[in-house]
């Protein structure tokens, strides 16, 4: 978290900062502050003291005539720094008491005029995403998804549309695809919709992966509506995927599961704290089966959601901490979104997560012109697109690194460790550990192969 | 409908689950069936009516919510 720190150093220093003909630096004003990474590129700013203009005025009220004093013994100085998101509340509260010069610590939010939001036109194309993901390098080193099963749990895939937009044949694994009860239609032959976008986006980094089509969001089971499945359908889908995984030889298991969906509202859920609750409850059946499938060797990815504070989806109804349930499960990768400029899109949900604090895990690219599933001018958007982009990268890695050699938990750690950090202090609740970085991943895998003589 | 969980031996059937919990066919989503959650722990899930869900606990786990799930995009 970026912060502004208000200091009251000696009057001489305040005078030096305020003097127009002198340039005082952060190092002149203060030494190290505990837990704060000071930004030495920021020139300290003198801040006048506001005082009531009339005798007897309320010293804490700004709703009265004020005078502002730059007298060195009254003014203060602002410097800029960053504190870890993990302990921001404690730092904000404790720092003024632990350092005699610190008067206050305030948030320094990013101010932007061009943040990518829901109505923004596409930012770049899927070819840009391929370039940013270093797909040519991945393919040159044999990481193309060959032999990797990649499940798209969504609204079903239209293979002809994906083939047309991608300009190459794709593989739908019809034998291992699965429909929830009551859903008719064949794998790869569903209407062009959200699931088709997801399938397209996985294939950017893993063009030779075998897609398993799981139209879990098409269920019309009692209690659901068209285009909304029920969580119980996802429970059944994951049970099917477990049979898929267990049918693979143990030494070469590779199953990646991409989930660009979630629950927008607490209205259909029991309240947190009740035993039957989903959003905050690791004992819910879906959260149990997610853990069980990961334990068996699957890489499970969930979109972080589109409830970012700057331009959230209007369906977002959680008042805070919108990364809920399995989307925040400690054994999944929760994926936030950045545009092809590397900036977080304003709708990408921020942490902390409800089941696991450190969410999102990492970010991947979204909001680019890609599948055209929603029209020629509409971007592949939402963390819905970021999740399959990341799933494709994971599937590419699995081409040469099955779960027996790189268990899902270790792969998650590798992605955390190699991510392009977007802050100066490691993990933060906007970007997680950072943006997935293919070259850093390849370097780490090469070192691992040398260590293990693979 | 709600979800409940039950401990059963490996390869258990829906009939066994219904018998163990004292459920009738009217109370169970038989099309959904009995879904293994964690085979190593012998833990299964089934969908039942809300009334039945409350009646069968604590012999069963739950009742757990079964909320709708929606695609996360495009952002509206």
């Amino acid at each position: 978290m970026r912060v502004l720190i208000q200091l009251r150093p000696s009057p001489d220093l305040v005078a030096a900062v305020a003097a127009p003909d002198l340039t005082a630096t952060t190092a002149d004003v203060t030494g190290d502050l505990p837990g704060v990474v000071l930004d030495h590129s920021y020139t300290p700013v003198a801040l006048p003291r506001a005082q009531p203009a009339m005798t007897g005025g309320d010293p804490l009220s700004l709703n009265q005539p004020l005078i502002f004093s730059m007298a060195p013994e009254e003014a203060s100085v602002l410097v800029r720094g960053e504190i870890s998101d993990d302990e921001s509340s404690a730092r904000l509260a404790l720092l003024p008491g632990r350092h005699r010069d610190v008067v206050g610590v305030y948030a320094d939010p990013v101010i932007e005029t061009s943040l990518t939001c829901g109505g923004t036109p596409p930012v770049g194309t899927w070819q840009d995403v391929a370039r940013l993901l270093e797909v040519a390098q991945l393919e040159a080193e044999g990481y193309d998804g060959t032999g990797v099963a990649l499940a798209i749990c969504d609204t079903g895939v239209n293979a002809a549309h994906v083939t047309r937009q991608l300009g190459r044949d794709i593989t739908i694994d019809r034998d291992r695809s699965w429909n929830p009860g009551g859903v008719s239609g064949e794998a790869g032959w569903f209407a062009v919709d959200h699931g088709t976008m997801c399938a397209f986006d996985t294939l950017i980094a893993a063009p030779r992966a075998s897609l398993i089509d799981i139209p879990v969001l098409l269920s019309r089971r009692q209690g659901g509506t068209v285009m909304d499945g029920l969580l119980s359908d996802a429970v059944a889908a994951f049970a099917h995927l477990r049979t898929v995984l267990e049918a693979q030889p143990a030494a070469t298991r590779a199953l990646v599961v991409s989930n660009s969906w979630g629950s927008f509202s607490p209205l259909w859920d029991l309240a947190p704290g009740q035993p039957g609750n989903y959003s905050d409850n690791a004992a819910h059946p879906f959260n149990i089966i997610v853990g069980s499938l990961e334990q068996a060797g699957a890489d499970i990815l969930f979109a972080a959601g589109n409830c970012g504070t700057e331009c959230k989806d209007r369906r977002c109804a959680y008042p805070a901490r919108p990364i809920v349930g399995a989307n925040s499960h400690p054994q999944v990768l929760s994926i936030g979104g950045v545009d092809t400029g590397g900036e977080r899109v304003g709708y990408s949900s921020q942490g902390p997560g409800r089941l696991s604090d450190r969410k999102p895990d990492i970010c991947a690219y979204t909001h680019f012109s890609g599948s055209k599933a929603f029209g020629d001018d509409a971007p592949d958007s939402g963390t819905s697109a970021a999740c399959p982009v990341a799933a494709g990268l994971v599937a590419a890695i699995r081409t040469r690194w099955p779960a027996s050699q790189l268990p899902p938990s270790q792969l998650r750690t590798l992605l955390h460790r190699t991510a392009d950090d977007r802050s100066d202090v490691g993990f933060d609740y906007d970007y997680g550990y950072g943006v997935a970085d293919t070259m850093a991943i390849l370097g780490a895998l090469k070192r691992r192969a040398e260590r293990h003589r693979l | 409908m709600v979800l409940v969980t039950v401990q059963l031996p490996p390869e258990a059937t829906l009939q066994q689950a219904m018998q163990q919990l004292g459920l009738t066919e009217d109370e169970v989503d038989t099309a959904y069936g009995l879904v293994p959650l964690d085979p190593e722990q012998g833990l299964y899930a089934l969908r039942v009516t809300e009334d039945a869900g409350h009646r069968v606990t604590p012999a069963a786990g739950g009742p757990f919510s079964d909320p709708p799930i929606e695609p996360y995009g495009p952002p509206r």
Side-chain angles (χ1 to χ4, degrees):
Chain A
M1 176 185 189
R2 284 152 46 106
V3 291
L4 287 169
I5 300 152
Q6 185 182 10
L7 301 163
R8 186 157 288 131
S10 70
D12 288 348
L13 272 172
V14 176
V17 172
D21 53 339
L22 295 174
T23 304
T25 66
T26 295
D28 295 331
V29 174
T30 182
D32 289 342
L33 297 174
V36 180
V37 179
L38 288 168
D39 179 355
H40 290 279
S41 68
Y42 183 79
T43 304
V45 175
L47 196 66
R49 181 175 207 164
Q51 296 170 323
M54 287 175 288
T55 310
D58 180 350
L60 299 180
S61 173
L62 298 177
N63 293 320
Q64 60 182 325
L66 297 167
I67 55 173
F68 294 91
S69 170
M70 279 295 259
E73 61 277 7
E74 293 186 319
S76 55
V77 172
L78 281 180
V79 297
R80 190 165 75 182
E82 193 158 2
I83 58 178
S84 169
D85 278 351
D86 281 348
E87 50 180 1
S88 56
S89 302
R91 290 274 169 206
L92 288 171
L94 292 176
L95 201 53
R98 295 289 169 90
H99 195 286
R100 63 187 172 84
D101 287 350
V102 176
V103 179
V105 185
Y106 308 96
D108 183 19
V110 175
I111 46 175
E112 294 185 68
T113 55
S114 58
L115 202 62
T116 298
C117 285
T120 308
V123 182
T125 65
W126 70 269
Q127 289 91 346
D128 293 324
V129 174
R131 179 177 48 77
L132 289 162
L133 291 176
E134 306 280 359
V135 170
Q137 187 63 31
L138 282 169
E139 290 190 331
E141 296 194 25
Y143 293 101
D144 60 4
T146 299
V148 178
L150 207 172
I152 310 292
C153 297
D154 213 275
T155 61
V157 176
N158 186 295
H161 182 90
V162 176
T163 300
R164 199 162 46 245
Q165 297 301 327
L166 214 49
R168 60 176 177 241
D169 288 337
I170 68 166
T171 303
I172 301 282
D173 186 338
R174 293 186 165 79
D175 290 341
R176 293 189 286 181
S177 295
W178 176 91
N179 288 2
V183 174
S184 56
E186 282 183 43
W189 289 90
F190 291 97
V192 176
D193 208 306
H194 190 262
T196 300
M197 176 194 80
C198 293
F200 179 96
D201 293 339
T202 59
L203 295 172
I204 295 174
R208 297 193 186 283
S210 296
L211 300 185
I212 297 179
D213 196 357
I214 310 278
V216 71
L217 299 178
L218 291 186
S219 169
R220 291 167 173 79
R221 196 174 295 285
Q222 184 188 346
T225 59
V226 178
M227 299 304 293
D228 295 350
L230 289 173
L231 197 59
S232 51
D233 295 308
V235 173
F238 274 49
H240 166 75
L241 289 171
R242 184 167 174 127
T243 66
V244 168
L245 190 65
E246 288 178 342
Q248 297 178 348
T252 56
R253 279 185 184 178
L255 172 64
V256 182
V257 187
S258 184
N259 301 278
S260 291
W261 52 266
S263 173
F264 275 102
S265 170
L267 293 176
W268 293 92
D269 196 1
L270 295 165
Q274 290 197 31
N277 163 265
Y278 165 62
S279 63
D280 295 62
N281 181 11
H284 187 281
F286 186 60
N287 294 326
I288 286 178
I289 202 165
V290 165
S292 161
L293 185 62
E294 187 269 357
Q295 195 70 37
D299 301 298
I300 304 170
L301 294 89
F302 271 89
N306 300 334
C307 301
T309 51
E310 293 87 347
C311 38
K312 66 176 70 167
D313 187 303
R314 65 172 183 263
R315 292 170 290 178
C316 297
Y318 283 96
R321 301 181 75 154
I323 310 178
V324 308
N327 302 64
S328 66
H329 197 292
Q331 289 166 269
V332 312
L333 280 166
S334 175
I335 308 296
V338 293
D339 61 26
T340 54
E343 292 299 320
R344 180 180 148 270
V345 291
Y347 50 73
S348 181
S349 292
Q350 291 127 318
R354 293 197 175 217
L355 294 188
S356 174
D357 184 88
R358 289 196 160 208
K359 297 292 175 179
D361 288 85
I362 56 168
C363 285
Y365 300 103
T366 183
H367 217 94
F368 52 87
S369 178
S371 69
K372 304 189 174 173
F374 297 102
D376 282 352
D377 300 326
D380 287 5
S381 64
T383 51
S384 271
C387 179
V389 165
L393 182 58
V394 171
I397 295 168
R398 285 292 179 217
T399 319
R400 292 180 52 188
W401 291 88
S404 59
Q405 291 177 19
L406 182 65
S409 61
Q410 290 183 22
L411 190 146
R412 289 196 301 277
T413 302
L414 182 139
L415 291 173
H416 293 166
R417 195 161 47 78
T418 55
D420 180 15
D421 186 7
R422 302 305 306 230
S423 68
D424 292 331
V425 289
F427 179 87
D428 66 81
Y429 290 131
D430 286 343
Y431 290 90
Y433 288 90
V435 182
D437 183 341
T438 300
M439 293 310 285
I441 293 167
L442 290 176
L445 289 174
K446 203 167 280 179
R447 289 191 294 277
R448 185 183 176 97
E450 286 164 5
R451 273 200 312 276
H452 294 263
R453 298 178 193 283
L454 294 170
Chain B
M1 305 276 285
V2 293
L3 286 162
V4 294
T5 58
V6 59
Q7 295 277 348
L8 290 165
E11 310 296 326
T13 63
L14 180 61
Q15 283 302 323
Q16 283 176 278
M18 290 168 62
Q19 197 169 7
Q20 181 165 318
L21 299 175
L23 292 163
T24 66
E25 283 204 4
D26 291 344
E27 294 174 315
V28 177
D29 183 347
T30 53
Y32 185 74
L34 185 69
V35 176
L37 294 179
D38 189 340
E40 284 162 20
Q41 304 294 323
L43 189 64
Y44 296 79
L46 59 162
R47 283 186 97 218
V48 301
T49 61
E50 260 188 74
D51 285 348
H54 287 287
R55 195 185 72 233
V56 297
T57 51
F64 295 100
S65 63
D66 187 12
I69 51 177
E70 299 178 65
Y72 271 166
R76 296 181 193 166

